[in-house]
Amino acid sequence: MPRQLVITNRGLAIDRSAPDARRTPLHRLAIDGDFWPSDLVAFWDFSETSAPFYAKKYTGTTAYPLENFGTTNVTKIPYGPFGSSIIFNGTSRYLKLSSADIGDLNVAQFGDQVTVVAWYEPFAYLAAGLIAGVWEETSGAGKRQYALFHDLPLYGGNDRVCGHVSYDGGVTPGYPYNKDYSASARPLQTGTMKFIGMVYDGTSARSYTDGITDVKASNNTNPYPYNLGLNRVTSPADFTIGAVKAGSSFGNFINGALGGVAVFRRALTESEMMDIHIATKGPDNPIIKFDFFNHASTTDVAATIGWKSALGATASDTSSTTATNFGVANISGNHFLYKTNTSPTSQCIGYFSSISGLTANQISEIKFRLNNSKQADKVRLLVQIGDAWYATHDTFSVTGDGRSAADWSNAELKSFPFTLEGSKWRDVNFSLGTSLGIDSSIRANNIPDGELKSIGFHMESVTETVRIDNLSIY
C-alpha cells in the first residue's frame, strides 16, 4: 500500500512503513540540462530499476557502474530531483566501484582539487556516515583521498555536512583518527532532501548546504584550512557510496535517501554550486530555507548554526551569548530562532552572513513564521546587498498575545514579495562593533540589484519573546 502523509505538529511527516513515500515534489530535471559546470567526472541519477547504477554523464571509457556490495541491496522510491532515489538503511547497504575501475574518480592524478555533490535526505542521525568518496579507514593502508560525509561528531561535525580530505591517506598526526574535514554550521534535519556538497581547492575544504557554504568558526571550521593537497597513492581506495571500508569490513553506513551524486575534478565556484542547486531544487521549493534546527540542545547560541547577532547603537557582537540577544531553541520538537526581553529597549539584529552566488534579481519572495509572545513585538526583514544594509519599511507581528514556545499551532506565516522598490525599504547603518541604526524614513530611490550577502531580522525593542522559524528565500 502507498505510504501516507501524516499531519503532525511540525507539518508533513512520512509514514515509512509503506514502500513508495510521497514528498513535496522535486523537479524531474533533464539529465542533459546546461547547469553542469566543466570537469564533471561522473553523475549518477540512480534511474535504473536496480544495480548496477551507471553514470549518465561521465569522462573516460566506462560509465562507472556502481554495484551492491552490502549484505542487503539498496531499495528505491519514486522521489528526487531526477525522478527517483535509492534508500540506505544505516546497517547493511552500500555501493562500490573497485579501485582498479575508478578511473578519473581518482582525482588526485589531475591535481589537488575536487568537488562532490549529492541530493540527500537523512532518515536518522548516525555517527559518521559516508555519502560518497574515495576513502578507506583501514589502519596503515594510506588510502584516504576525499569524501563527503554526514555527521562526524568527534571534532564538531555532528549532524553536519562534512568534507573530508587527506594528503597521505593516514590519520592526522597527533590524533587517533583523521580529523581533516570541514563541517557546515547548519545541521541537516530529517525529512527533507537537501543539495549538499564538499569543495576542496588545494588550500581549504568547504561544506555546502542549499548551495551555500556557511561559516563555522569553532572546532572543525567551515572553511577548513588544508594546504597539503590530495593523496596520490598508487593504489587508491575503492569509490564507495553509503559506507566506508575499515579493515576487512565496512562501517559508517548512512541511513537515508540519495537522489543523485556527482564528482568533479576541480573546485567549483560558489556561483556554480548555487546554479546547480537552483536548477535541481524544484519550482515550488525555496532557494534557501533556515529551519534553525538544533538537535543537541534545548537552547544554544545562534553562532552554533552560523547566525550572528548585534545589540545596541554600537552594534556589540552578541553572537556567542543568548543573555542579551538571539539564540536557537529546540522545545517540544519545535526548532526556532528567538530573542528575549533581556535588553528590552535596545535595538538588535540577528543575521546570517554566509550567502553567496545569489543576486537580488533571482529572489521573488521571502517567507517566515512568527510565534511571538506579544503582539507588541515587531520585526523587520533585514538584507545586505553588496556592501549596504536595508530593512523593510513595514514591520511584522502576530495578531494576539500568549503564544508559547511549546505550541506553534497558532504561529503565523509572514510573506514579503521581494522588490527593489525604494518605498518598501529603509537604509540601515550597520558596522559590527561600531554602529547600528535604521533610518526613520523610507528610501527615495530603489535599492540596487546586486549580490545578496546576508539576511536576518531587525527589532527596535522586545517586550517579551520573539520567535521565528522557517525563514525561506524563494
Side-chain angles (χ1 to χ4, degrees):
M1 74 185 250
R3 294 185 184 176
Q4 302 297 312
L5 289 174
V6 180
I7 303 298
T8 71
N9 64 348
R10 292 174 60 188
L12 292 177
I14 301 297
D15 174 6
R16 301 192 186 282
S17 62
D20 59 345
R22 294 177 60 200
R23 319 287 213 283
T24 302
L26 297 187
H27 192 37
R28 294 177 68 98
L29 191 75
I31 300 305
D32 293 324
D34 60 5
F35 64 88
W36 292 110
S38 62
D39 293 311
L40 174 66
V41 175
F43 158 67
W44 298 267
D45 69 344
F46 308 120
S47 59
E48 294 84 357
T49 302
S50 60
F53 298 105
Y54 293 93
K56 299 305 184 300
K57 294 179 75 71
Y58 58 92
T59 61
T61 59
T62 177
Y64 301 110
L66 293 167
E67 297 276 8
N68 282 303
F69 272 86
T71 56
T72 62
N73 293 341
V74 298
T75 58
K76 293 193 65 177
I77 55 173
Y79 158 81
F82 308 100
S84 62
S85 299
I86 53 175
I87 303 299
F88 298 83
N89 62 1
T91 58
S92 62
R93 299 174 184 174
Y94 70 94
L95 303 174
K96 186 178 83 171
L97 184 64
S98 297
S99 174
D101 300 319
I102 66 173
D104 290 356
L105 292 169
N106 177 18
V107 299
Q109 65 184 303
F110 303 106
D112 293 316
Q113 297 191 6
V114 66
T115 298
V116 183
V117 301
W119 292 261
Y120 177 59
E121 175 188 339
F123 293 165
Y125 303 104
L126 300 174
L130 178 131
I131 294 173
V134 176
W135 198 263
E136 183 177 326
E137 299 281 355
T138 303
S139 177
K143 292 189 175 184
R144 297 173 178 89
Q145 188 180 124
Y146 66 88
L148 176 63
F149 275 83
H150 173 230
D151 196 5
L152 295 178
L154 279 181
Y155 307 113
N158 52 305
D159 304 336
R160 287 160 168 81
V161 179
C162 301
H164 235 320
V165 288
S166 176
Y167 81 98
D168 65 356
V171 301
T172 302
Y175 292 85
Y177 308 103
N178 188 296
K179 71 173 294 289
D180 298 314
Y181 66 83
S182 57
S184 64
R186 291 174 296 154
L188 292 183
Q189 188 169 9
T190 58
T192 302
M193 182 165 281
K194 291 278 191 178
F195 173 70
I196 63 172
M198 60 87 69
V199 174
Y200 179 60
D201 63 4
T203 61
S204 64
R206 296 174 180 265
S207 296
Y208 280 76
T209 306
D210 283 341
I212 56 177
T213 177
D214 46 1
V215 174
K216 183 172 180 285
S218 60
N219 296 321
N220 271 41
T221 59
N222 196 30
Y224 179 82
Y226 192 82
N227 62 5
L228 299 176
L230 295 175
N231 184 14
R232 287 176 172 75
V233 64
T234 303
S235 177
D238 302 328
F239 179 84
T240 57
I241 290 180
V244 169
K245 185 179 181 181
S248 59
S249 62
F250 272 74
N252 298 153
F253 294 94
I254 60 172
N255 186 351
L258 269 179
V261 171
V263 178
F264 298 79
R265 64 187 193 187
R266 69 172 173 89
L268 297 191
T269 66
E270 294 175 341
S271 294
E272 288 172 325
M273 292 291 281
M274 179 59 71
D275 287 345
I276 296 175
H277 169 53
I278 290 176
T280 59
K281 71 176 183 60
D284 299 323
N285 296 315
I287 300 173
I288 304 170
K289 180 179 180 180
F290 300 96
D291 51 30
F292 304 110
F293 178 61
N294 182 31
H295 183 244
S297 303
T298 302
T299 59
D300 212 332
V301 297
T304 60
I305 59 167
W307 277 65
K308 300 177 181 180
S309 58
L311 180 70
T314 58
S316 300
D317 187 352
T318 50
S319 304
S320 298
T321 176
T322 61
T324 56
N325 214 336
F326 285 94
V328 289
N330 174 6
I331 298 176
S332 300
N334 299 302
H335 303 266
F336 54 90
L337 183 75
Y338 74 94
K339 169 71 175 74
T340 67
N341 64 348
T342 305
S343 299
T345 60
S346 297
Q347 66 170 324
C348 57
I349 61 172
Y351 61 103
F352 182 86
S353 62
S354 302
I355 300 175
S356 57
L358 186 64
T359 57
N361 65 8
Q362 292 176 285
I363 304 168
S364 62
E365 188 176 20
I366 299 174
K367 296 181 179 180
F368 57 96
R369 290 203 304 162
L370 272 184
N371 195 39
N372 299 349
S373 301
K374 293 287 187 179
Q375 186 173 357
D377 288 328
K378 302 180 186 300
V379 304
R380 301 179 194 270
L381 269 172
L382 180 75
V383 296
Q384 181 189 17
I385 298 176
D387 295 328
W389 291 81
Y390 311 94
T392 55
H393 172 67
D394 292 335
T395 59
F396 300 88
S397 62
V398 295
T399 56
D401 295 342
R403 314 288 172 82
S404 74
D407 182 5
W408 281 69
S409 60
N410 291 317
E412 299 178 18
L413 179 65
K414 305 299 177 180
S415 174
F416 176 70
F418 194 85
T419 176
L420 303 179
E421 183 183 336
S423 64
K424 302 296 183 182
W425 298 96
R426 296 187 186 188
D427 289 324
V428 175
N429 174 28
F430 170 53
S431 177
L432 189 62
T434 302
S435 61
L436 174 61
I438 182 171
D439 280 8
S440 59
S441 58
I442 62 174
R443 284 180 54 84
N445 303 311
N446 290 355
I447 63 174
D449 176 21
E451 183 179 15
L452 178 69
K453 293 185 176 181
S454 305
I455 189 168
F457 298 92
H458 177 279
M459 284 170 284
E460 297 287 357
S461 62
V462 180
T463 61
E464 197 163 303
T465 303
V466 168
R467 306 185 189 96
I468 302 165
D469 187 21
N470 288 349
L471 171 63
S472 300
I473 303 173
Y474 289 85

